[in-house]
Amino acid sequence: MATTPDSAMMDKLVSLAKRRGFVFQSSEIYGGLNGCWDYGPLGVELLNNVKSQWWKAMTFREDVEGIDAAILMHPKVWEASGHVANFTDPMVDCRECKARFRADQIEESLCGNPGYKGRKASKCQAEGKFTEARQFNLMFKTFVGPVEDEGAVVYLRPETAQGIFVNFLNVQSASRQKIPFGIAQIGKAFRNEINTKNFLFRTREFEQMEMQFFVKPGTDVEWFEYWKEQRIRWFADLGITKDRLQWHRHEPEKLAHYAKDAFDIEYQFPFGWGEIEGIHNRTDFDLSRHEEFSGKSMKYFDEGSKERYTPYIIETSAGASRSFMAFLVDAYREEEAPTADGKMEMRVVMRFHRKLSPMKAAVFPLVNRDGMPEIAKKIELAIRPHFRVFYDDSGAVGRRYRRQDEIGTPYCFTVDSQTLQDQTITVRERDSMKQERLSADKVVQFLRDQFEAPEK
Ligand code: ATP
């Protein structure tokens, strides 16, 4: 990953994420658990919005079905998939400071000794301080039942894809789908990463949004192109800056053992370009292996042509947590904004796409008297069953706007003295900061028009 000069922005973002309740360190009061994060009140809303936009895009179509498979699976699944043998990273230890590194990431790592601040790990390696590389399996192991012996070993799934492959024929016959069709799933995955880093980018517990599309061999190249196009468009349609998205093609010699072709969608994070989603042509590897290891046929019978064959699979595999982080980074802006008395000040604004914004609206009484709080409360109650809304009556109205800007609330409604005369309120839009008047009884319809109308 190349570094960019604005990595200080990442510190600001992590601090905002904690202060405003997007993301907390896991088990913080005990000093935290490396590689694990908790989503706070706003974080869970944003994450749910990311997942629900993905679910809509992927399954609100006639050729994709959804499933939700168990995290624990039969251990043979992971033998068939190749994870027991191949899901390893090369690991080295520093004999001096005991730091542990992924052997293929030494170039971009720093020495673990705090006394040598900023020293490159490659320097320590050149001085012969590192052990030989050993292969380390990234799957978390646990046991089913009370006896902790080899026969009871199961794994926390390192990807959601296998739950889809083993259910291919169940889903196909239950939903009466014909090839080509896909199966989508969102769920937790676990990887015992050697080094976790960059906030939510590389964690040990994370969520994936995966879709496996089953196609007739020979049509795979065409479908691969189709899904590449769909998936990059999804990020762009949800407002990600197009210039910060790029394709990275895996070189043929670096392709995973199952893949015929693979492209990553990369996002330019403040710490450099990083993969947020992979699109893979997995061929018939997965179904053939499950057929071999289970002894059950995984072939598809084409009623029309009377052919029986093993479908090829085009996979779209996105991290929900990495996408969440890309949306968070992309939304962050520091910009000048006018104060109530006409001066300029800096504001931090999260310019989330409105469909992703964790809070959709805020309601303020301008002052806490003259019946304004009562009217504002009524408006809040009218909105609450339909959209996430926040009521705020403390501090100057300008400060209340700033607090909403910082969490990306698209609309603020203020009850003021004019409301008492003509029942209109001020609507203030987050990005343009433009204010206009709206009849108080039209607030819910106004929000419906903004959030539920089809995209133009
Ligand atoms: P990397 O090379 O970064 O380890 P990968 O190529 O192993 O990733 P895949 O196995 O293709 O990743 O997983 C698909 C998606 O799952 C990735 O694009 C990413 O968004 C997400 N993902 C994978 N590993 C992690 C992790 N440790 N933490 C958070 N998200 C992850």
Side-chain angles (χ1 to χ4, degrees):
M1 266 180 207
T3 46
T4 55
D6 57 341
S7 37
M9 180 235 162
M10 215 45 225
D11 296 339
K12 291 188 197 171
L13 196 72
V14 174
S15 139
L16 183 149
K18 178 178 175 190
R19 191 162 38 81
R20 300 307 310 266
F22 284 93
V23 181
F24 308 124
Q25 196 182 8
S26 160
S27 329
E28 191 188 356
I29 58 167
Y30 292 99
L33 180 66
N34 220 341
C36 299
W37 297 88
D38 298 340
Y39 291 82
L42 292 179
V44 69
E45 289 295 330
L46 176 59
L47 184 63
N48 281 344
N49 292 344
V50 169
K51 291 190 286 186
S52 114
Q53 287 305 317
W54 184 89
W55 193 254
K56 276 189 187 153
M58 301 305 274
T59 71
F60 284 24
R61 35 184 299 153
E62 60 183 359
D63 57 356
V64 179
E65 306 288 342
I67 64 159
D68 186 5
I71 287 174
L72 300 178
M73 301 182 75
H74 194 287
K76 274 205 152 182
V77 166
W78 306 109
E79 286 175 37
S81 67
H83 282 81
V84 172
N86 297 320
F87 197 54
T88 55
D89 276 338
M91 174 176 79
V92 296
D93 290 306
C94 175
R95 291 194 198 89
E96 192 178 294
C97 74
K98 309 292 174 221
R100 187 156 276 180
F101 302 95
R102 245 173 82 170
D104 56 343
Q105 290 179 352
I106 290 176
E107 276 309 312
E108 61 213 63
S109 306
L110 293 177
C111 164
N113 184 340
Y116 293 143
K117 209 166 177 248
R119 184 181 223 256
K120 291 203 152 181
S122 52
K123 206 161 175 218
C124 307
Q125 186 182 37
E127 289 167 8
K129 292 181 186 168
F130 288 0
T131 59
E132 287 298 305
R134 325 190 280 295
Q135 289 301 325
F136 171 73
N137 196 296
L138 301 185
M139 284 198 293
F140 280 99
K141 247 186 202 177
T142 186
F143 302 92
V144 163
V147 186
E148 297 194 359
D149 64 17
E150 271 308 298
V153 165
V154 288
Y155 302 96
L156 299 188
R157 67 180 176 199
E159 62 176 29
T160 56
Q162 300 300 325
I164 295 180
F165 302 142
V166 300
N167 276 302
F168 159 61
L169 287 176
N170 282 340
V171 173
Q172 188 264 321
S173 60
S175 57
R176 299 173 57 217
Q177 283 283 0
K178 291 190 173 57
I179 274 180
F181 79 97
I183 305 177
Q185 170 166 228
I186 298 177
K188 289 257 173 159
F190 303 82
R191 295 183 187 179
N192 201 358
E193 300 278 0
I194 295 169
N195 287 131
T196 58
K197 60 179 174 185
N198 293 329
F199 195 31
L200 306 172
F201 186 80
R202 189 172 300 288
T203 56
R204 297 202 165 104
E205 175 176 341
F206 55 97
E207 265 185 296
Q208 289 188 313
M209 308 186 288
E210 294 198 305
M211 194 278 310
Q212 313 292 332
F213 203 74
F214 301 86
V215 305
K216 190 168 184 189
T219 63
D220 50 310
V221 173
E222 189 183 316
W223 279 110
F224 187 69
E225 288 309 316
Y226 170 82
W227 282 110
K228 269 179 64 195
E229 153 80 24
Q230 294 294 309
R231 293 308 306 148
I232 200 148
R233 193 186 310 155
W234 183 78
F235 286 101
D237 285 352
L238 286 173
I240 288 256
T241 311
K242 286 199 182 119
D243 291 349
R244 291 203 193 149
L245 289 175
Q246 73 177 17
W247 286 110
H248 165 75
R249 187 180 199 165
H250 292 217
E251 291 154 31
E253 58 279 11
K254 288 199 179 150
L255 281 175
H257 56 280
Y258 53 76
K260 171 171 161 187
D261 202 356
F263 277 79
D264 295 338
I265 300 176
E266 293 187 335
Y267 178 75
Q268 190 179 30
F269 290 100
F271 47 81
W273 289 96
E275 171 188 340
I276 48 178
E277 172 157 351
I279 323 289
H280 309 129
N281 181 342
R282 302 185 64 117
T283 68
D284 58 1
F285 175 84
D286 307 282
L287 294 179
S288 305
R289 291 279 288 192
H290 285 304
E291 182 166 300
E292 183 189 334
F293 279 70
S294 69
K296 306 268 163 37
S297 168
M298 297 299 282
K299 292 193 175 58
Y300 170 77
F301 181 67
D302 186 324
E303 305 270 358
S305 66
K306 308 287 176 215
E307 280 174 282
R308 194 178 291 281
Y309 61 86
T310 308
Y312 267 34
I313 294 175
I314 307 302
E315 167 179 77
T316 69
S317 173
S321 339
R322 272 194 203 170
S323 304
F324 171 102
M325 188 169 143
F327 286 118
L328 202 67
V329 166
D330 207 71
Y332 185 89
R333 302 279 196 295
E334 290 173 10
E335 56 189 34
E336 285 210 311
T339 60
D341 52 9
K343 296 198 187 102
M344 294 306 269
E345 66 173 10
M346 286 306 281
R347 71 163 182 163
V348 169
V349 55
M350 296 299 285
R351 287 182 178 246
F352 293 123
H353 187 284
R354 57 184 197 279
K355 288 193 171 156
L356 298 182
S357 286
M359 193 63 69
K360 303 296 191 211
V363 181
F364 314 145
L366 184 63
V367 288
N368 279 317
R369 55 183 154 74
D370 302 337
M372 288 185 206
E374 290 75 10
I375 301 173
K377 269 275 159 204
K378 258 196 201 158
I379 295 173
E380 179 214 344
L381 288 179
I383 298 173
R384 197 162 283 293
H386 310 283
F387 300 101
R388 294 287 302 181
V389 56
F390 189 80
Y391 181 86
D392 191 359
D393 61 3
S394 71
V397 79
R399 286 187 59 80
R400 288 182 247 170
Y401 283 147
R402 294 290 170 270
R403 288 200 286 262
Q404 295 307 313
D405 288 345
E406 211 185 29
I407 61 169
T409 309
Y411 297 102
C412 295
F413 302 109
T414 305
V415 172
D416 50 26
S417 45
Q418 198 178 324
T419 315
L420 308 177
Q421 287 154 28
D422 64 6
Q423 287 82 48
T424 64
I425 53 174
T426 304
V427 188
R428 185 260 196 185
E429 197 270 332
R430 177 193 71 198
D431 297 346
S432 64
M433 294 182 277
K434 278 209 184 106
Q435 301 191 5
E436 52 187 65
R437 298 210 64 91
L438 175 75
S439 177
D441 59 0
K442 298 258 168 21
V443 167
V444 173
Q445 190 53 50
F446 172 85
L447 290 172
R448 284 214 168 106
D449 293 345
Q450 308 306 319
F451 295 111
E452 291 169 2
E455 295 288 336
K456 286 175 198 106

